[in-house]
Amino acid sequence: MSKAPASPTRDRIVEAAGKLFHRDGIRAVSVDAVAAKAGLTKRTIYYHFRSKDDLIAAYLQTRDQPNVAIFQRWFAEADGDIADKVRAIFGHLAENARNPRWKGCGFLRTSVELINLPGHPAIQTGRAHKKRTEDWLFDIFAADRPQPQARVLARQIVLLIDGAFSVVLLNRDASYMETAGDAAARLIRG
């Protein structure tokens, strides 16, 4: 975890790291590169973060709430029933995936880079983010179905989302996201 409380300098470090991690991946980015991008010294980075691992986790933590919030917004703004609203999330993800600079889910990309480090702080952050998304979906589904069924359905939707992220990255074809959205709507309607 970080040594110092949130500050403009800490935020600047996380922002610089985030841009580099998104562009190049977490393993390819050194603390020296983050310091240069932020216009700071390496010592300043280590004043705010014990390690690069803690910096990676902090970067992902800044993505957690905005990512869940955008799903919630897309859901709330969509017309139709719950199935249509969940399908709309996939539709928006497909729109984003059509951007040539789109790189998928940062939580998943990070987990792939850290596959041999299951206790890494960034893996824990990613796991918490995915669980938060699942829990949000569970709350929606539990309003009109038994809790065990709602939990399974929430997990199935998360699997469709994350599977679609992977397949879209492999094929560079955003229509896979829309196909996953159709499957999600069918699952929800039962």
Side-chain angles (χ1 to χ4, degrees):
M1 296 297 149
S2 64
K3 291 180 179 179
S7 71
T9 301
R10 184 182 190 282
D11 293 343
R12 193 163 112 202
I13 294 165
V14 172
E15 182 180 345
K19 288 177 182 177
L20 293 171
F21 293 156
H22 179 76
R23 187 187 74 200
D24 301 330
I26 60 166
R27 288 190 180 242
V29 175
S30 68
V31 173
D32 288 322
V34 173
K37 178 83 171 169
L40 301 166
T41 65
K42 194 169 165 179
R43 181 178 178 165
T44 302
I45 304 289
Y46 284 119
Y47 171 78
H48 290 276
F49 299 94
R50 284 187 309 204
S51 65
K52 180 181 170 186
D53 293 341
D54 287 341
L55 176 56
I56 295 165
Y59 152 67
L60 289 178
Q61 287 165 358
T62 67
R63 299 302 321 134
D64 175 42
Q65 185 52 40
N67 285 5
V68 173
I70 194 73
F71 279 22
Q72 291 170 337
R73 191 184 95 214
W74 290 339
F75 180 88
E77 291 175 350
D79 293 326
D81 62 9
I82 290 174
D84 292 327
K85 290 174 170 288
V86 169
R87 182 190 287 130
I89 293 168
F90 287 88
H92 284 285
L93 289 170
E95 286 175 34
N96 290 339
R98 287 187 174 92
N99 182 323
R101 293 185 318 231
W102 183 80
K103 293 194 177 192
C105 174
F107 296 95
L108 294 176
R109 283 193 335 272
T110 299
S111 71
V112 168
E113 288 196 60
L114 300 173
I115 194 73
N116 293 324
L117 302 168
H120 192 284
I123 296 293
Q124 293 171 3
T125 299
R127 188 178 302 125
H129 168 73
K130 296 300 180 177
K131 180 72 169 122
R132 197 170 348 279
T133 302
E134 180 185 319
D135 289 346
W136 168 67
L137 289 166
F138 167 78
D139 289 342
I140 291 167
F141 301 146
D144 68 350
R145 63 189 80 213
Q147 287 192 1
Q149 184 184 4
R151 178 59 65 191
V152 168
L153 183 56
R155 287 183 177 179
Q156 289 170 330
I157 303 306
V158 168
L159 286 168
L160 283 168
I161 291 168
D162 289 344
F165 274 125
S166 299
V167 175
V168 170
L169 278 173
L170 285 172
N171 293 295
R172 292 297 174 183
D173 181 351
S175 71
Y176 282 97
M177 196 66 78
E178 293 160 336
T179 301
D182 292 340
R186 280 193 298 279
L187 280 170
I188 294 165
R189 289 193 173 113

